[in-house]
Amino acid sequence: MSVGLKYTVALLTDRGGRSYNEDACGHWQSPSQLCCVLADGAGGHGGGDVASKLVVQELIGLFARQPSHDGAALAALMRRTNELLRAQREPGTERQDMHSTVVSLVLDLDNASAHWAHVGDSRLYWFSGGRIVRRTKDHSMVQALVDAGILTADQMSSHPKRSELRSAMGLPDDALELSSGDGDQAVQAHDVFLLCTDGIWEYLDDDLLERTLAEASTQQAWLETLGKEVRRLAQHKASHDNFTALTVWVGAT
């Protein structure tokens, strides 16, 4: 009888050069599943702060009541979360135009598998053997330019239209673009997952993520190193974005 996956979770969030933090993240676990959710809000005047927290709380609540077992089912929970977010909008207040990105990872602890879904440009990275083997694809204008062959992937983080999204929570359902995935490979001992907002990946490329992971003695040490690198590389930009990361390290069974 399998004892299932073992894992540990660590979090980092920082307001960066902003006056308040519009990122949010959280996780929920049962004996058979782990659900992680991370969101980056937008909307101005505090609306983004409200939006990201609502998305995390509502998606985790929906998952706890009706757990997903594949990417399509998780994406359906995101669509329901989007309806709940839109229902919380209040014209004439900070909530009137709130939006949020979201990325969610689910680990099936009994079957040693993973599925995920996302909207916007918050990302999921999957590391195996210390290398990035999977990464979500942003719903953004620059990703569309990369897909069309106009930009290279290396040019995304510095492009002036990097922050323009094609999809975000808060849009009408028929305009909401979601993506979901089921792992092509089983989750292995020592695999690492990283969920992060664009305040992380704007400054930290794949090589740096892999190198710092290889050098890290613990989860928290890795996240602290990522935070230091963001601050170092963003020091020329006084108002650099909030940055948030959630990492899951899979242990030996």
Side-chain angles (χ1 to χ4, degrees), residues 86-196:
R86 287 178 58 79
Q88 292 292 324
R89 285 181 159 181
E90 298 177 12
T93 74
E94 65 180 16
R95 298 185 178 207
Q96 68 179 358
D97 191 35
M98 56 185 180
H99 292 82
S100 181
T101 67
V102 63
V103 58
S104 179
L105 165 72
V106 175
L107 291 186
D108 187 310
L109 306 177
D110 293 334
N111 297 327
S113 63
H115 63 271
W116 58 88
H118 81 287
V119 179
D121 64 356
S122 289
R123 293 181 178 178
L124 166 70
Y125 293 82
W126 182 348
F127 301 77
S128 190
R131 300 293 183 183
I132 296 170
V133 294
R134 300 291 295 268
R135 195 204 84 195
T136 52
K137 184 180 287 190
D138 305 333
H139 302 121
S140 66
M141 296 306 296
V142 292
Q143 182 65 64
L145 294 174
V146 171
D147 293 344
I150 298 171
L151 290 179
T152 67
D154 291 341
Q155 294 173 311
M156 292 178 66
S157 62
S158 60
H159 195 277
K161 295 189 180 295
R162 179 195 58 76
S163 297
E164 292 190 15
L165 300 180
R166 296 197 325 264
S167 184
M169 303 288 276
L171 291 175
D173 184 71
D174 59 0
L176 185 67
E177 181 181 357
L178 298 101
S179 297
S180 61
D182 297 289
D184 290 334
Q185 58 189 27
V187 177
Q188 306 289 336
H190 309 301
D191 281 1
V192 170
F193 296 89
L194 174 69
L195 284 67
C196 66

Side-chain angles (χ1 to χ4, degrees), residues 1 5 69 79 82 94 98 174 209 220 226 232 244:
M1 180 177 176
L5 288 180
H69 294 280
R79 286 198 179 274
N82 188 56
E94 65 180 16
M98 56 185 180
D174 59 0
L209 291 175
Q220 207 61 51
L226 297 185
R232 178 179 68 84
T244 298

Side-chain angles (χ1 to χ4, degrees), residues 14-15 17 33 63 69 77 82 146 171 182 225 230:
D14 194 292
R15 70 181 187 181
Q33 287 183 305
F63 182 90
H69 294 280
L77 293 180
N82 188 56
V146 171
L171 291 175
D182 297 289
T225 296
V230 169

